[in-house]
Amino acid sequence: MRELIGLIPLIPLLSSATLMLFAGHLSRFAIGLLGVGSVGIAAILTAKMGIDFLGNPEVFKVTLWTWMQVGTFSSDVAFYFDGLTLVMMSVITGVGFLIHLFSTEFMEEDVSYARYFAYLNMFVAAMLILVMADNLLLLYLGWEGVGVCSYLLVGFWYQNSANGYAARKAFIVTRIGDTLMALGLFLLFTELGTLDIQALGDAAKDKWQVGDSMPLIACLLILGGAVGKSAQLPLHTWLPDAMAGPTPVSALIHAATMVTAGVYLIARTHELYLFAPIAMIAVALVGLATSLMAAFTALTQHDIKRILAYSTISQIGYMFLALGVGAWTAGIFHLMTHAFFKALLFLGSGAIIHCLHHEHNIFKMGGLRTRMPVTFWSFMIGSAALAALPMTSGFFSKDQILLQAYQVDGIGPWLWFGGLVGALLTAVYSFRLVFVVFFGQVNTEPDKDTGWRMVIPLSLLCILAMMGGWIIIPVTQVFPLAVFEHPAHWVEYVSIAVPIVGVIIAYLIFLGGQLKVDVFTNSFVMQKLQQFWFSGWRIDWLYDQLLVRPYYGLARALKLEPVDNFYRLVVTISQTFNQWLSAGQSGQMRRYITSMVFGLIVLLAILVRAS
Amino acid sequence: MLMINLILILLIGGVVAIFSERLGADVPRKVALAVVIIDLIYLLIALSTIPQLETLQAPVPSDPETWLMHYSVEWIPAFGIKIELALDGLSMLMVLLTLILGAVAVSASWTDIKVRQGFFEANLLWTLAGVLGVFMALDLFLFFLFWEVMLIPMYFMIAIWGHENRGYAAMKFFIFTQASGLLMLVSILALVVIHHGNTGVWTFSYFDLLSAQIAAQTAFWLMLGFFVAFVVKLPGFPFHTWLPDAHTQAPTAGSVILAGILLKTGAYGLIRFAVPLFPQASMEFAPVALWLGVAGVIYGAILAFGQTDFKRLVAYSSVSHMGFVLLGVYAWNILALQGAVMQMVAHGFSTAALFMIAGSLQERLHTRDMREMGGLWQNMPRMGAIAMFFIVASLGLPGLGNFVAEFLVLLGLFQVDRLLAVIAALGLITGAAYSLLLMQRSFQGEPDETRQLVDFGTREMLTMAVMMTALIVLGIYPQPILDISRPVVESLISFSSIVTGGSL
Amino acid sequence: MNGSQMQALMPILMLSLTAIVLMIQASIKRDEKATWIITVVGILLALWGAGYARDFSQPVTILLQVDNWGLFFTALVLLASLVTVVLSQDSFSSEGGSKEEYYLLLVLSALGAVILIQSSHMASLLLGMELMGVALYAMIAFPKKGLLPLEAAVKYLVLSGCASAILLFGFALLYAATGELSYKGIGEKAALAYISNPLLVMAGTAMVTAGIAFKLSLVPFHMWTPDVYQGAPTPVTGFLATVSKGAVFVALARIYMDAELHQYESLILALSVLAAFSMLIGNLLALLQEDIKRLLAYSSIAHFGYLLIVLIALTGSEMASEAVTFYLAAYILTTLGAFTVIARVSREDQQKSQISEFEGLFWRNKIQATALTIAMLSFAGIPLTAGFMAKFFVINVAIQGSHWFLLSALVIGSAIGIYYYLRIIFSMSKTSGNDIGFRDRSGDITALLLTVLILMLGSWPQPFIAFAGGL
Amino acid sequence: MEGLNIPLNHILLIASLLFVIGMLGLMIRRNIIFILMSLEVMLNSAALAFVAAGAHWGQPDGQIVFMLILSIAAAEVAVGLSLVLQVQRRFRSLDMDSLDWMRG
């Protein structure tokens, strides 16, 4: 069975290749079957491996072949399987399967049906390779692979240039992070002589001391990669734009799996981070700042998918916070629950968009509670989990994060407080969404209802979003045991109460109308602030001014090849000489004689001078 | 003799192609394809009989008998000039690449050559012959001869079958390479004269000249002569300006050969001649060369980003990619050198394919201006998908050949100079920027539904499949290639007795 | 003078005999065909004579030096004359419609060249040079049509006369200083005279150099070249470029070596200046030239600059004399090849030597276009052609003599040169409206033979190098 | 003959003077006839130098060369004058400066 682990990414990959090569020869049904079935098989295989593992929790490694071996550098195509891998694989194949199934209905009318599933399958394969990789180079392969698939899927509807722009932005911004990560790999290899993740940990123990500068630099570089892929400050700007892709793609790639790869990466390399406490704090601070920034932004958006996108950014911020405070398990746990409820929310929004003629603006929706009951309940459950209302999956994971953040020496309470503010905002914006979209008057009539291929994934995800909190993830062997000392009870009570308060505030403002905030929000300062938040804190604008425009300007300035000017100058000089000299050839013989006389004088001068 | 035959087959094939035009306009291309494939098969059969290939005995650079093949016969004894050809792992890779891409080139211009097909195919075959000569010649005189002579048929290909501004482009190409070639000739002769002065023997043989004793100052200047010639061909910053023009104006097959093979002769020259002949001087010069390499990587990428002409963009991307080769060579450790070799091979395929796509677009749209393209995926989905493949290959997607190359080069460079590696790594980002822009402007965006365009047919798909397979294999299982070049690279490093920092 | 000496003079005798026969024939019956045949036969006999005389090489009186080296160039000059005769056959006509006298002049001019090559004495140098020159004036002015030949002839006559006067005056000064007129004599006495009267020796040397530099059209004595090249009928231009310049260079080399002039550093310096300027200015002048004959005139200026390097580096290298031999041979063959094609394409029409006239030549006459291409590549010094091996020799000699300054001038000049040689090739490869092929058997055969020789010399030079080494 | 014992240098000086005069003539004169005359002056200055040098060394060679120069000058002038006739006929002028059809 273990040897067959390679099949898990291979099957979606083969399916993808088949779909690309024989797209024209397959019926839509066959395409759907291949696309969904391949991920389904992967999911079943994963489940089998999971059951085996839970019965006999033994870590193993399967080497397929040597990828490259040059000098002392060697990297294999090898898979490593432990609890963490299992969790990630389960999320990818499980949630992935549901989203694939959902897609068959969502994309039903699209002409590029086969292309869609080809990309999606390829993504699943790449993502699996990412989490299964035994060494950082293979991980990097998956890492870049998912990036390309994300690019392809964001720009899936390439006919619209805006989508293409969003896709390119997504790829290039994450590439910046990827490059930092690549540099991190170079540094790790140069310092530790290997890229095998397990070997790295051992080598680090031999060569590094806690607090050294090398681990700090290396960890920061890896953090750079994680920040890019997980859309954290300051490289988060691509994710809201990436919503240009089909909604199931947003669910799978930009909510459940790919964007959490950064969390996985840091968790996977946590042994290195243990040598760099400053890097850990950096991770926590990045996470907290991102989660607050994104929460404020989500509050002001009115595109349903952008709200969810900012919410994703914010939630990943929580995961980073968890990693930064050493709550590895809690971080991964939140990763999993987030995958459930965020996929649920995205799919729900997909269903709405699907049924509402591709309407994205929440203020043009409303009253959908009765029109689309399944979707409504999905949203309710999803939002509850997102807001971390008690007993939902989100509650368990977020609570753990906040409590463990509180434990950190020194800044712990501040981190906790920041997290709480975020939690409050989360509750507000998520229920703002629910109240605006599903209650009130009907602004747009849906023209169809959700079919079974949408209902089943939604229902299953509802269950997971509700019950996911009780799953115990098998990562105890992976991470060092957290010294968990239960904080004072008031801390816990406050943590539980804050989301509920948030929901109430949202109700009062957006549904009940009891809380009149118009005067407040219409004030000049608040207007400006709202605009500021709406624009995503003008970070896009900043990058545009600082990087994009200068680069375009540079490219435009250099377009005509300034280096060639040198060669043109040489040519011009030669031509000028040619013209001068040619002008001398006037045809008048007396000039010729003069030239000869001149030559004679020169020769005489040279020769006689010497004598 | 086998190596001579390889060249002769192509030369004679060219003559046959010219005369075959009398049988019909479409005969020469078939002849050309047949000739290249025969040559390839001949080579493969011959290689399969070499016992060393299995054991991969490390060749000693100065001992020709340890090479895979060696052939030597007197030519101009007055100067000790011999017809001396030899093959080791590195040249074998290059020869294989040449012949495969040669076949691709014939296929690439299957339909776009409308006049004087016979002469065209002849020039193509003769260029290939010249390139083979460059890769196999180990007598410096003979090497120089091939180096220069291969340009003439290439010149004709651009000058006769090129696009609107072909005269200028062909001229620029020829003058750049010839002028720098003259410097190399002076260097070669100076080297030989010095060797003659020391030993009283006239010889142009690589194997003898490796041991030439040269004063440091002189060696530096001589090395510079070689360096300039090779870097112009590579092309490295700031000698690259001939390339965009030549590429843009050349017919498709010309671009394919130029980008796929001809540029590699520069890299090959650096690895084979410039550094081993003058190890000490090269070491001293390495920092400058490395900076030039980095400059090429970044500058090429920025300029590629600014272009509106499809082929020009790809041409500048070559400048950027070949910058990595320069970095790889002058980092001069086994990682970086292997990376450089990989880059030579992988870039050969990826760029050749992109030029072929550019050629197909020009044939169909009669323009290379990307402002007049857009949404072509809609019209030609197969071509779009293939373009996407090669574009992600060229931006260095792991799993494809180019990534292995760039990764190894950067990793190797990192051991030597971290700052430079960091700057060069920016090339990964800028590379993504121009690659995706290319895709966006040509294949994505608003489609023009009124266009009636023919998608890739079987011939094109087959050709592309060859290159795609090659890149995938290079990407996920590069070890065979690395193993072939490893002994060469290792021995070169040990021979030059240069120890550059790092853990290697 | 004994019989053996007479045998040594066989080529000269044969040419003289031909001249006499031609005169007699012309006075009996004017018949161009017959004249042509007699000329060809005469030159062939002289060629045979050159081979025959190899067994009798010796100094013939004080005036002439018959040796293998000279005989080789004699043969080369005769070959060039032969090609000129073939090309002249139907390329232009004189006042009266036929041109029997032209062949006579050609034979006389060739005779002058042979004498010049074999001269070892100032008097024979003078005789040879003037015989060659005066006949050439008339040849240039021979065509009845157009003003250009006449203008060219007058300019050449006056300027050449002036140069002769300078040369003579220089020799007079040397004679005054040394009391000798033979090269060897001058060489023996000059060193002594230099101590007592350096001014006289150096001024004389300077003027001799100037006179010869004119004939070789070295900068700044070069200005006549383009006008004469352009104005003269193309076969005559070819003759001038090969026979006249070749013979003068051989004479210069003889003076230089026999009179041991290389010991004077200031002379080396003067020659270096001439060479450097010739290489640079010659190439620059040719750069944008539209007339192919003028272009080749400028290119010839550069080429004699390259060749001069060999003389300058004479003492530093063991292979200088081979280098001179090889370079001159390569240059003469290449120039002949080029002018053969130009003569066949432009025919009588002076205007047809524009480069644009050569557009599409590849598609009109493959053989001649290929020949011109090879010739241009040879001029540019591309491997596999004679020109490359020639340049190879020059660079080799220059490196051995460590003349880095001249080498850089050579490299820059050659780099410029590539442009204009290539321009001609490019224009031939263009597709022009005029794609009608023309057939021209004698031209094709001549061009083909010369091309084969150029390629042979370039790709299999060993036999020739061995031969040249034995001269 | 003692009275005629002029130092060689003096004669050479005069010859040089003549030579320069001829040269200046070439540079200044525009009429072809005068140009040919200047040429004669230059050639004759060389001849004079030869004679003087021959006398200085007591050799006949100088005078022999003088004869040679005379005949050469004659030949040059013969061809030259015939060309002059042609020039007059075709260009309708003897102004050397008008013969500038070829340039560049």
Side-chain angles (χ1 to χ4, degrees), chain D residues 2-86:
Chain D
E2 283 174 11
L4 281 174
N5 197 2
I6 308 166
L8 176 62
N9 283 350
H10 292 197
I11 306 179
L12 288 183
L13 212 63
I14 289 179
S16 307
L17 226 58
L18 277 174
F19 186 82
V20 172
I21 288 170
M23 211 172 221
L24 284 175
L26 278 184
M27 288 164 71
I28 293 166
R29 280 294 182 178
R30 292 165 60 167
N31 188 303
I32 303 179
I33 303 284
F34 281 97
I35 288 176
L36 286 178
M37 284 167 67
S38 302
L39 210 55
E40 285 295 298
V41 173
M42 284 173 79
L43 283 170
N44 282 323
S45 73
L48 174 60
F50 264 113
V51 172
H56 174 72
W57 294 102
Q59 292 172 349
D61 300 28
Q63 286 161 36
I64 294 167
V65 174
F66 173 71
M67 309 274 267
L68 271 177
I69 292 180
L70 275 193
S71 55
I72 284 166
E76 292 237 359
V77 167
V79 177
L81 285 177
S82 73
L83 290 179
V84 168
L85 283 178
Q86 292 283 334

Side-chain angles (χ1 to χ4, degrees), chain A residues 65 67-69 72 119 137 144 148 158-159 164 168 175 179 186 190-191 551 559 561-564 567, chain B residues 172 238 240-241 299 316 378 395 397-398 407 410 414-415 418 428-429 437 440 445-446 475-476 478-479 504:
Chain A
W65 70 85
W67 188 5
M68 47 183 125
Q69 195 268 316
T72 57
Y119 291 167
L137 193 61
E144 290 283 289
V148 164
Y158 59 83
Q159 291 87 344
R168 274 186 295 141
R175 196 96 213 258
T179 305
F186 300 153
T190 311
E191 292 293 321
Y551 191 70
K559 186 188 173 190
E561 186 62 281
V563 175
D564 222 12
Y567 301 107
Chain B
K172 199 168 173 181
H240 62 276
T241 64
Y299 186 85
Y316 276 111
Q378 183 101 337
L395 64 77
L397 181 73
F407 177 79
L410 286 173
F414 198 84
Q415 325 276 313
R418 294 184 179 187
L428 298 178
I429 302 167
L437 192 70
Q440 174 68 40
E446 203 77 31
I476 59 177
Q479 203 55 38
L504 296 169

Side-chain angles (χ1 to χ4, degrees), chain A residues 50-301:
Chain A
I51 292 163
D52 289 356
F53 182 79
L54 292 176
N56 174 25
E58 193 184 333
V59 172
F60 65 90
K61 173 178 165 181
V62 175
T63 304
L64 298 181
W65 70 85
T66 302
W67 188 5
M68 47 183 125
Q69 195 268 316
V70 178
T72 57
F73 176 78
S74 172
S75 176
D76 293 335
V77 175
F79 296 133
Y80 179 81
F81 188 86
D82 65 359
L84 180 56
T85 317
L86 175 61
V87 172
M88 295 303 294
M89 284 169 71
S90 308
V91 169
I92 295 162
T93 55
V95 177
F97 169 73
L98 295 177
I99 292 173
H100 273 72
L101 185 59
F102 184 91
S103 298
T104 53
E105 186 174 335
F106 188 85
M107 298 298 288
E108 210 163 23
E109 283 146 28
D110 203 284
V111 285
S112 304
Y113 200 58
R115 187 160 62 91
Y116 175 81
F117 279 104
Y119 291 167
L120 218 55
N121 278 347
M122 189 158 64
F123 169 80
V124 170
M127 192 68 207
L128 284 169
I129 291 172
L130 196 165
V131 298
M132 292 160 68
D134 158 67
N135 60 66
L136 286 177
L137 193 61
L138 187 61
L139 186 150
Y140 190 76
L141 184 146
W143 188 268
E144 290 283 289
V146 294
V148 164
C149 294
S150 157
Y151 160 78
L152 292 172
L153 285 163
V154 171
F156 181 73
W157 289 309
Y158 59 83
Q159 291 87 344
N160 185 347
S161 297
N163 296 347
Y165 177 79
R168 274 186 295 141
K169 183 173 172 185
F171 191 82
I172 291 167
V173 174
T174 49
R175 196 96 213 258
I176 295 172
D178 299 353
T179 305
L180 292 173
M181 177 177 161
L183 289 171
L185 302 196
F186 300 153
L187 186 64
L188 284 176
F189 173 71
T190 311
E191 292 293 321
L192 301 179
T194 178
L195 286 181
D196 276 10
I197 297 169
Q198 307 309 316
L200 273 176
D202 299 338
K205 285 188 191 93
D206 292 343
K207 295 187 182 164
W208 283 347
Q209 298 293 318
V210 174
D212 278 357
S213 61
M214 271 310 152
L216 176 61
I217 296 170
C219 288
L220 287 179
L221 286 171
I222 290 176
L223 173 63
V227 157
K229 199 58 102 189
S230 293
Q232 298 292 290
L233 272 177
L235 295 179
H236 66 284
T237 58
W238 62 272
L239 187 59
D241 288 343
M243 294 300 127
T247 310
V249 168
S250 310
L252 178 61
I253 299 183
H254 304 120
T257 54
M258 184 188 87
V259 285
T260 56
V263 180
Y264 169 77
L265 175 67
I266 294 178
R268 189 45 98 192
T269 55
H270 68 275
E271 287 186 64
L272 303 176
Y273 276 88
L274 290 176
F275 288 93
I278 300 174
M280 297 263 293
I281 293 173
V283 173
L285 290 178
V286 164
L288 185 62
T290 310
S291 81
L292 287 174
M293 183 279 302
F296 275 110
T297 312
L299 209 49
T300 58
Q301 300 297 318

Side-chain angles (χ1 to χ4, degrees), chain A residues 320-343:
Chain A
F320 270 62
L321 177 62
L323 300 175
V325 300
W328 317 102
T329 312
I332 294 298
F333 190 37
H334 193 55
L335 186 159
M336 183 186 76
T337 58
H338 174 256
F340 298 151
F341 63 72
K342 194 50 72 59

